[in-house]
Amino acid sequence: LGFTPANLANFFLPFIDILTVKGWHSSHPGRSCKDILESEDSVGDGEYWIDPEGNGKSLKVYCDMTTAGGKLPNAALLFSKS
């Protein structure tokens, strides 16, 4: 059973505010996959929102949070823009 921020958010929506969990929504992105991992808001490999330039233009990416502790420089692949 693979958990992603999206399916966990749907399950826990009545219990948590996903807008306050780093990387789970475009309005509260991490700066990088590593930033999300270190914030302890990561639920493992999956899709997250990041804003690497800090300019309000969030990107939906896939983060590999397990290989090399999630600290690979190319840990994210672009999916879409918010």
Side-chain angles (χ1 to χ4, degrees), residues 49-63:
W49 290 93
I50 65 170
D51 181 2
E53 296 178 4
N55 62 7
K57 296 180 180 178
S58 302
L59 307 171
K60 189 174 189 180
V61 299
Y62 180 85
C63 294

Side-chain angles (χ1 to χ4, degrees), residues 11-29:
F11 180 78
F12 288 109
L13 192 57
F15 308 106
I16 63 170
D17 181 1
I18 64 167
L19 300 180
T20 63
V21 181
K22 190 179 282 191
W24 286 30
H25 193 270
S26 61
S27 66
H28 192 63

Side-chain angles (χ1 to χ4, degrees), residues 33-74:
C33 294
K34 181 181 174 188
D35 177 44
I36 296 167
L37 181 66
E38 290 176 349
S39 73
E40 299 184 0
D41 286 334
S42 165
V43 292
D45 297 346
E47 295 177 4
Y48 295 89
W49 290 93
I50 65 170
D51 181 2
E53 296 178 4
N55 62 7
K57 296 180 180 178
S58 302
L59 307 171
K60 189 174 189 180
V61 299
Y62 180 85
C63 294
D64 178 343
M65 298 296 200
T66 53
T67 305
K71 296 176 181 154
L72 292 176
N74 297 322

